[in-house]
Amino acid sequence: MRLSELKTGETATVVKVLGYGGFRRRIIEMGFVRGQQVTVVLDAPLKDPIEYHIMGYDISLRRKEAEMVVVMTREEAAKLSFDQSQILADEDIVERAVQCSSNRISVGLVGNPNSGKTSLFNTLAGRSEHVGNYSGVTVDAKRGELRYKGYTIELTDLPGTYALAAYSPEELFVRRHIVENTPDIILNTVVASNIERNLYLTTELIDISPTMVIALNMYDELERSGAKFDYEALSEMIGVPMVPVVAPTGRGIEELLETIIAVYEGRDRRVRHIHIGYGAVIEENLEALNADIRNHRSDTPTLFPPRYLALKLIEGDKEVASLLGSSPHFERWQRMAVEARETIEEALGEDIETAVASQKYGFISGALRETYEAVERKRNTLGDHLDAIVTHRIWGFPIFFALMWFMFYCTFTLGAYPQEWIGAGVDMLYEAVRGAMSEGALRDMLTDGVISGVGSVLVFLPNIMILYLFISFLEDSGYLARAAFIMDKVMHRMGVHGKSFIPLVMGFGCNVPAIMACRTIECRTSRIITIMVTPFMSCSARLPIYIMVVGTLFAEHAGTILFLLYIVGIAIAVITARLMRRFMFREQEAPFVMELSPYRLPTAKTTVRHMWSKCAQYLKKMGGLILIASIVVWLLSYYPRPEYSDNDPEAPTYEMSYMGYIGKWCQPMFEPMDLGWQASVAIMSGIPAKEIVVSTMNVLYAQPGDEAPADDEHLSPSISRRIAESMSISSAVAFLLFSLLYLPCIATIMAIGSELNWRWAVGSALYNTAVAWVVAYVAFHITQLFV
């Protein structure tokens, strides 16, 4: 807990002091060091400041300052229960708890997109977070931990960002995390082979003044290039230790951990705080505001150094202005900042952002001139030749669409073989359970409900794996960044940002992470539009529906039909985006900026790990939501038990069940497309998760005495025949299109509500369903004209 939370008369033990620079030193010098007991003596009449007793004397702290001291009470220490084998005295319990707490090091990973930050996180924490070679993979903080030499190191992988300005959501997120959670160490990942550009973020971190270590990632690429880099000299120069690492191979990881511990313990001689020099003009105007803020330090946030606050006020940073808004001196500071900005821009002939950035790059250039000897890069590498082809104004688009078609073709054709094996295994289990149990409701539930329901979805796991394998490879290789580049103009015609392309492609895997990835789009209107059209990207959950219907009624042209379904979804997304831009959001787009990162051949381990992590989510869904839904659907279709004559074994089994009543109630909605009650029920069951549609149809179309399926078919011949008989070509097309377009699953709706608000989420559900019905209806009648 924080010192400011203690009540009068309460005592606690100091764990650590947060904050940076002079403020932290002053608090520590006053006696607030780990292990010291502090007691609240009394509050001032207005609850601020507060008088404390520590080390034999009384001291007064403002509440803001007390918030920066982490303490532990006797009650908190007892809850940790460090040693149950013996009864410890109060002071021993607290001492042990404080000691254990001090052995935890919180580390925040901060770096540019494509700097290998998430790869480093995976290596350190042993986690399997996906590593993608494009901007914006990390859209939220990931957490993990490891133990090393008696320390527990808590890792937080923060979103990739180029700076700490208030321009994009990830920049704000990272800055807020650093100042509000105050990690003990900032681990700044820097691409060693692109050191100059990457160090810009480092200068921003230096301004904030955290305790920092730099991981020179991908150091092997720098060595292969022939460049020479005296990183030890640069470490001394900027006061931040640097460690060369190669995250995928683990090279330098142990040295990196040793350096983190040394910096945490205050043993690294390279650590010192410096100020980035901004030139005579800026410094002269900056110092006046800095001095004024420093003189009234008690009225400002203690997490930021006064110099940083002054610089950001001059730059017009709205977030910092909001933080300082409650200070009684804010109006004067704001006037001084405006005057300083006008003076600087008039003197230098450029805006303040450009002037500050130029000075930072000047600082970086000067430091590297003494420590880094680059090798001139010739524009004749394999990556350059590949870029000339895949980003070509003529060939770029055919290559992209050919790759997409090939991905879907392989998803269907290659996946057919393991589908047969899994299907055969499910059938064997079905027959084994059915033969081992006596007749009754329990046997029917296990066989027709659980095994048939879950098994009918499980057989599509190979297709899901192949789809994710392709998407993972395209992401990790760097091709998707090129695809976004060539699609930028198309995206703008669509009414969104070029960066929208990446989340939309991710939507083919799952709409939920795709919607979360939209946080990387700086323009608010583009972000909203992209989120709203993402559900039209046909996610992997819909794939089993397509394969079941397409494999039954369009087997000869399965790959092409599957590809056309995805194209229809894209087309509807384009139309929707254009309508939203035309009638709802007319403001100008933000400029498109995306790094074309180097091509890299993804390692098999990384690609397979990513693919499996997604497939594991699919399997968990089958073990939870789909299993429960299959049982519920079976119960609704099993009861009440229908009456039919033994002489009429083909009599409908489920039509008189509760599920049959639900289907008939919904059927008028689908009757214009000639869809029966079974199809109506299946569509309704897909609202929680689209995979449930398949298991529902498998249950509803089953009849007593069905023969076992042949090895080369996904469903039993009887079920396939009934599905084919219940749907004409036209109604099958309508069913596929409705399944493609109608309201997204519950998880996607919740993601939209979380990222925007619930009005947008409800609007998405209603709009998507209306569009689905209209498109399916029109397609049904058009198909009837030709078939």
Side-chain angles (χ1 to χ4, degrees):
M1 67 187 301
R2 301 297 173 91
L3 180 60
S4 57
E5 299 175 40
L6 290 179
K7 296 181 173 58
T8 302
E10 290 184 338
T11 299
T13 303
V14 176
V15 176
K16 63 179 177 180
V17 178
L18 305 177
Y20 308 115
F23 162 77
R24 186 170 184 271
R25 284 196 304 272
R26 183 171 67 88
I27 294 293
I28 291 174
E29 289 167 357
M30 294 166 69
F32 288 88
V33 294
R34 187 175 69 230
Q36 289 295 331
Q37 285 196 333
V38 57
T39 303
V40 183
V41 178
L42 56 87
D43 288 350
L46 298 178
K47 303 296 183 181
D48 204 2
I50 305 170
E51 185 177 341
Y52 297 98
H53 182 80
I54 188 170
M55 297 184 72
Y57 66 98
D58 294 337
I59 185 172
S60 176
L61 290 181
R62 289 185 177 273
R63 187 168 292 274
K64 283 185 178 180
E65 295 173 329
E67 287 175 358
M68 304 306 298
V69 181
V70 179
V71 297
M72 182 178 293
T73 63
R74 166 67 179 81
E75 291 74 18
E76 287 179 315
K79 288 178 183 178
L80 296 177
S81 302
F82 289 100
D83 193 341
Q84 298 289 349
S85 64
Q86 56 182 321
I87 300 175
L88 299 176
D90 284 3
E91 59 271 18
D92 293 334
I93 291 177
V94 175
E95 181 181 352
R96 185 167 298 190
V98 171
Q99 179 62 36
C100 183
S101 177
S102 66
N103 287 343
R104 300 186 73 87
I105 307 174
S106 61
V107 176
L109 274 70
V110 179
N112 288 177
N114 304 305
S115 64
K117 179 172 51 60
T118 303
S119 180
L120 181 60
F121 173 83
N122 291 339
T123 302
L124 290 170
R127 293 279 293 278
S128 58
E129 298 298 338
H130 173 46
V131 182
N133 190 19
Y134 61 87
S135 173
V137 173
T138 310
V139 295
D140 205 346
K142 309 288 192 306
R143 290 179 173 83
E145 65 177 43
L146 75 152
R147 298 183 186 279
Y148 186 79
K149 292 193 174 181
Y151 282 97
T152 298
I153 300 176
E154 301 172 338
L155 298 164
T156 303
D157 178 21
L158 296 166
T161 179
Y162 293 107
L164 297 179
Y167 179 59
S168 69
E170 63 265 48
E171 290 174 354
L172 278 175
F173 185 96
V174 173
R175 189 168 74 180
R176 285 173 179 170
H177 179 90
I178 292 173
V179 299
E180 292 175 6
N181 294 278
T182 50
D184 297 314
I185 304 287
I186 293 296
L187 182 54
N188 178 206
T189 56
V190 169
V191 178
S193 57
N194 193 7
I195 188 77
E196 185 170 8
R197 205 286 311 280
N198 276 242
L199 283 179
Y200 185 85
L201 177 59
T202 306
T203 63
E204 298 249 295
L205 291 167
I206 289 173
D207 280 343
I208 295 180
S209 187
T211 305
M212 184 162 52
V213 174
I214 294 175
L216 294 169
N217 205 8
M218 307 177 198
Y219 201 77
D220 54 337
E221 293 184 5
L222 180 142
E223 292 174 327
R224 284 196 300 268
S225 72
K228 296 179 181 179
F229 183 28
D230 187 353
Y231 61 86
E232 285 290 354
L234 185 59
S235 296
E236 298 277 359
M237 197 176 297
I238 66 175
V240 181
M242 292 182 165
V243 181
V245 297
V246 182
T249 66
R251 173 185 166 186
I253 296 300
E254 188 170 344
E255 184 184 351
L256 180 64
L257 293 172
E258 295 281 0
T259 304
I260 288 172
I261 292 173
V263 170
Y264 177 72
E265 293 178 347
R267 295 186 287 105
D268 198 304
R269 59 177 178 77
R270 294 169 291 183
V271 175
R272 64 189 180 93
H273 179 60
I274 67 167
H275 287 310
I276 306 296
Y278 292 109
V281 175
I282 296 178
E283 289 290 345
E284 180 181 346
N285 290 274
L286 173 63
E287 182 51 37
L289 182 55
N290 176 28
D292 202 309
I293 295 177
R294 190 169 57 244
N295 290 337
H296 300 90
R297 190 72 176 95
S298 59
D299 297 320
T300 63
T302 53
L303 290 166
F304 285 118
R307 179 181 167 89
Y308 179 80
L309 295 172
L311 179 63
K312 289 303 172 183
L313 271 185
I314 293 174
E315 288 184 289
D317 190 303
K318 294 180 180 178
E319 183 84 357
V320 168
S322 176
L323 287 173
L324 296 174
S326 60
S327 170
H329 312 285
F330 175 69
E331 290 186 8
R332 183 175 74 255
W333 294 340
Q334 191 78 314
R335 284 197 306 272
M336 293 175 68
V338 171
E339 292 172 2
R341 180 163 60 248
E342 291 174 350
T343 302
I344 292 169
E345 290 180 346
E346 183 179 354
L348 299 179
E350 57 187 359
D351 62 83
I352 185 65
E353 290 84 3
T354 303
V356 170
S358 297
Q359 292 296 330
K360 285 184 176 180
Y361 276 118
F363 169 85
I364 296 168
S365 178
L368 292 179
R369 190 175 294 116
E370 299 181 33
T371 58
Y372 183 73
E373 185 178 333
V375 175
E376 184 178 355
R377 181 176 181 268
K378 297 180 180 179
R379 303 292 300 183
N380 194 31
T381 64
L382 177 61
D384 295 326
H385 292 308
L386 286 174
D387 272 343
I389 298 171
V390 300
T391 63
H392 193 272
R393 62 187 183 89
I394 297 175
W395 300 113
F397 289 102
I399 290 172
F400 169 70
F401 286 112
L403 284 173
M404 294 296 105
W405 178 87
F406 182 69
M407 178 174 71
F408 300 131
Y409 176 80
C410 291
T411 297
F412 189 88
T413 55
L414 295 182
Y417 299 103
Q419 268 187 302
E420 295 174 9
W421 308 331
I422 295 175
V426 171
D427 299 332
M428 290 175 60
L429 178 62
Y430 179 95
E431 293 299 335
V433 173
R434 196 167 187 84
M437 298 181 66
S438 57
E439 291 186 12
L442 180 59
R443 187 189 73 171
D444 291 343
M445 183 187 73
L446 290 176
T447 55
D448 298 329
V450 176
I451 297 175
S452 293
V454 175
S456 61
V457 180
L458 181 63
V459 296
F460 299 109
L461 179 62
N463 304 97
I464 305 298
M465 293 179 70
I466 293 171
L467 180 65
Y468 275 122
L469 185 66
F470 271 93
I471 292 177
S472 176
F473 183 84
L474 293 176
E475 289 174 350
D476 298 341
S477 66
Y479 174 74
L480 274 190
R482 272 72 185 177
F485 176 78
I486 66 173
M487 294 294 290
D488 179 47
K489 193 169 185 178
V490 176
M491 292 290 105
H492 275 283
R493 289 183 180 276
M494 183 176 165
V496 293
H497 199 286
K499 281 188 176 180
S500 300
F501 178 77
I502 297 294
L504 292 177
V505 171
M506 289 178 68
F508 290 133
C510 180
N511 291 162
V512 175
I515 287 171
M516 295 176 66
C518 293
R519 297 175 188 175
T520 63
I521 303 171
E522 293 88 352
C523 179
R524 175 181 170 273
T525 60
S526 281
R527 188 161 62 251
I528 293 174
I529 294 173
T530 306
I531 288 173
M532 295 300 287
V533 303
T534 294
F536 290 120
M537 299 296 104
S538 194
C539 67
S540 60
R542 296 180 175 101
L543 191 59
I545 306 173
Y546 306 155
I547 294 175
M548 181 187 65
V549 178
V550 170
T552 302
L553 291 139
F554 307 98
E556 294 181 1
H557 307 286
T560 301
I561 296 295
L562 193 62
F563 178 68
L564 289 175
L565 281 170
Y566 281 82
I567 292 298
V568 170
I570 294 170
I572 297 298
V574 170
I575 294 169
T576 299
R578 291 283 296 170
L579 290 173
M580 291 184 72
R581 178 61 68 187
R582 175 70 176 81
F583 296 105
M584 298 177 68
F585 305 109
R586 294 175 175 268
E587 61 190 74
Q588 191 64 31
E589 287 300 292
F592 172 61
V593 181
M594 174 172 279
E595 176 188 2
L596 293 180
S597 51
Y599 287 100
R600 295 189 178 94
L601 184 63
T603 62
K605 179 181 178 182
T606 299
T607 302
V608 171
R609 185 170 59 184
H610 172 221
M611 176 192 69
W612 177 246
S613 68
K614 297 299 182 184
C615 293
Q617 295 175 14
Y618 184 74
L619 289 171
K620 287 178 182 177
K621 188 184 288 187
M622 283 191 293
L625 181 61
I626 294 176
L627 174 62
I628 295 171
S630 296
I631 293 173
V632 170
V633 169
W634 179 85
L635 288 170
L636 292 174
S637 61
Y638 193 80
Y639 294 104
R641 295 297 293 142
E643 299 289 338
Y644 62 90
S645 169
D646 293 338
N647 297 325
D648 186 16
E650 296 296 325
T653 306
Y654 300 112
E655 191 169 356
M656 302 304 295
S657 66
Y658 296 125
M659 187 63 77
Y661 291 132
I662 294 173
K664 289 175 181 177
W665 183 77
C666 298
Q667 191 175 4
M669 177 180 176
F670 301 100
E671 193 170 2
M673 291 163 277
D674 196 25
L675 290 173
W677 66 271
Q678 294 99 329
S680 305
V681 172
I683 288 173
M684 293 297 104
S685 71
I687 294 175
K690 295 297 179 282
E691 303 97 322
I692 300 173
V693 172
V694 177
S695 59
T696 301
M697 292 188 74
N698 199 61
V699 170
L700 294 180
Y701 280 99
Q703 294 282 5
D706 279 348
E707 68 275 26
D711 290 342
D712 59 348
E713 295 184 35
H714 311 319
L715 302 171
S716 72
S718 298
I719 293 178
S720 295
R721 187 185 71 250
R722 292 188 194 105
I723 292 176
E725 290 174 351
S726 68
M727 293 185 185
S728 64
I729 296 297
S730 300
S731 58
V733 168
F735 181 84
L736 287 170
L737 289 173
F738 194 91
S739 300
L740 163 70
L741 300 172
Y742 80 116
L743 80 156
C745 67
I746 294 297
T748 302
I749 293 174
M750 291 179 67
I752 295 173
S754 174
E755 295 299 307
L756 300 177
N757 58 53
W758 289 106
R759 286 183 298 175
W760 286 108
V762 172
S764 173
L766 296 176
Y767 173 79
N768 287 31
T769 304
V771 167
W773 193 93
V774 171
V775 171
Y777 178 81
V778 172
F780 172 80
H781 287 284
I782 291 176
T783 308
Q784 281 194 320
L785 296 176
F786 296 97
V787 179

